[in-house]
Amino acid sequence: MKKCDHHISDLHKQLASCYAFVEKAQKALTEKQRDLEMKTQQMEIKLSNKKEEDMHSRSPHRLVMTSRSVWTSMTRFSSSDLKRW
């Protein structure tokens, strides 16, 4: 009987050790998942901001203004020439 009790005690210790390992792994995975979700959210925000910037930078009004300012700065015409453009 003593031998069985000793064997049961060893099995109980092994089970407790395995359970502790599983708990530790679960906590690590939960933390990693939380980190990945936060990084995903940050990347989605960056992508959204980038798309918004691209849309604003490609607006026709801005392109015309940019073209005119470049053209104006590169040429030296009279004001009447600029009005025609």
Side-chain angles (χ1 to χ4, degrees), residues 58-66:
R58 293 180 184 194
S59 72
H61 180 70
R62 185 172 179 161
L63 289 175
V64 169
M65 294 298 290
T66 304

Side-chain angles (χ1 to χ4, degrees), residues 31-46:
E31 189 175 322
K32 183 68 173 177
Q33 183 178 5
R34 206 175 299 134
D35 289 345
L36 289 172
E37 286 173 353
M38 189 173 8
K39 286 180 181 179
T40 300
Q41 204 172 33
Q42 290 171 348
M43 295 298 287
E44 287 173 346
I45 291 169
K46 283 181 182 180

Side-chain angles (χ1 to χ4, degrees), residues 44-59 62:
E44 287 173 346
I45 291 169
K46 283 181 182 180
L47 180 61
S48 175
N49 290 341
K50 178 70 174 158
K51 285 181 180 178
E52 201 171 304
E53 284 177 18
D54 288 348
M55 283 178 25
H56 289 297
S57 68
R58 293 180 184 194
S59 72
R62 185 172 179 161

Side-chain angles (χ1 to χ4, degrees), residues 70-82:
V70 169
W71 183 78
T72 304
S73 65
M74 292 177 63
T75 59
R76 300 196 187 254
F77 293 103
S78 66
S79 58
S80 61
D81 291 331
L82 293 176

Side-chain angles (χ1 to χ4, degrees), residues 6-22:
H6 182 65
H7 186 62
I8 290 172
S9 177
D10 285 344
L11 291 174
H12 181 70
K13 287 177 186 177
Q14 287 178 354
L15 182 62
S17 175
C18 288
Y19 183 76
F21 176 78
V22 169

